[in-house]
Amino acid sequence: MLAASAVTPASVVPESTQQAIGYPSLFLLVLIGALVPVIPTGALVSSAAVVAVHQTAPFSLAMVFVTASLAAFLGDAALYWLGRRGMKSKNGSRWLAAIRARAPEDRLTQAQEKLAAHGVAVLVLSRLVPAGRIPVMLACLMAKWPMRRFWRGNLPACLAWAVTYQLIGILGGSLFDEPWEGVVAAIVLTLVISATPSVWKRVRSAR
C-alpha cells in the first residue's frame, strides 16, 4: 500500500499481500511520524492513496483514510500526553524539549495569539499548515489544555489532514496509468507544499 509496494507490479505481488503489509506499515510510519516529526507522513498517505486508486479491492481508499487518521490521532495524543508530563516535571523531559525545539519563538507567539482568539479552530487548521502542528500543540500545552479538550480538537484535525493528502494521492493516481508514476507525482507535490512556507519566509527575509 505504501510507495515501496507501489513500484512492484500487481501481477507479481498480489493485492492481498500488498494490503497485509501496506496498512500496518502505513499505520506504524504515520504513528512514528507524529511522535518524531521527521517522517513525511503526508507523502506516505498520498502514496498509499495512489496505490489504492489502482487496486480492485473494495474500500481500499476508505482503509487508507481510517488507517492514516487513526495513526495520526494516536500519535498526536501520545505526544501531547508526553508533553504534559514534561510540563509537570521540575526538570522537564526530552519529549517536551523536542517539542520546544521544533516551535520557533515567532511561530509559538503567533500560535498562542490565534489559540487565545479562536480556540479549537486553530488546532483543527494546524495540521493542514506545513510545520504548523507542533507550535500549536506547544501553545495548547502552555495554555494547560486538558487531554480531553485537546483530543476533541485534534480528532477533526487528523480527519481533515488525512482527507487532504489522500485527495492529493487520488489526483496523482488518476493522472497516470502506472501506480509508481502517480506515487512520484504525489510525493513531489506534497514535498513542494511542505517546503513552500519556508521558501516564502526566506524570500521575505531577503527582501
Side-chain angles (χ1 to χ4, degrees), residues 26-202:
L26 177 64
F27 180 89
L28 183 61
L29 289 172
V30 172
L31 180 67
I32 295 174
L35 289 168
V36 186
V38 294
I39 298 175
T41 52
L44 290 173
V45 176
S46 297
S47 300
V50 170
V51 180
V53 168
H54 289 274
Q55 288 185 338
T56 58
F59 309 117
S60 294
L61 286 171
M63 284 298 296
V64 171
F65 170 74
V66 171
T67 301
S69 56
L70 179 61
F73 176 78
L74 293 178
D76 285 355
L79 185 59
Y80 191 76
W81 179 76
L82 290 168
R84 277 175 56 86
R85 288 192 63 185
M87 294 288 287
K88 294 178 181 179
S89 173
K90 293 182 179 180
N91 299 322
S93 68
R94 64 186 184 90
W95 289 102
L96 180 60
I99 295 174
R100 289 183 180 276
R102 293 186 172 276
E105 196 64 33
D106 57 338
R107 291 199 174 189
L108 175 59
T109 301
Q110 291 179 355
Q112 289 177 306
E113 293 173 352
K114 292 179 179 179
L115 193 67
H118 304 289
V120 173
V122 177
L123 179 58
V124 174
L125 293 174
S126 66
R127 258 199 168 272
L128 301 179
V129 178
R133 179 175 69 100
I134 296 300
V136 172
M137 182 181 290
L138 181 57
C140 292
L141 287 170
M142 297 181 71
K144 297 182 180 180
W145 277 26
M147 287 293 300
R148 288 186 179 181
R149 187 179 183 186
F150 178 80
W151 289 346
R152 287 196 297 268
N154 193 52
L155 178 59
C158 292
L159 296 176
W161 170 81
V163 167
T164 300
Y165 282 98
Q166 188 166 0
L167 288 175
I168 293 174
I170 292 173
L171 177 62
S174 301
L175 292 176
F176 300 94
D177 294 331
E178 294 295 331
W180 71 267
E181 295 175 329
V183 168
V184 171
I187 291 175
V188 170
L189 183 55
T190 53
L191 292 179
V192 168
I193 293 173
S194 300
T196 297
S198 298
V199 173
W200 176 247
K201 185 177 180 180
R202 291 179 182 179

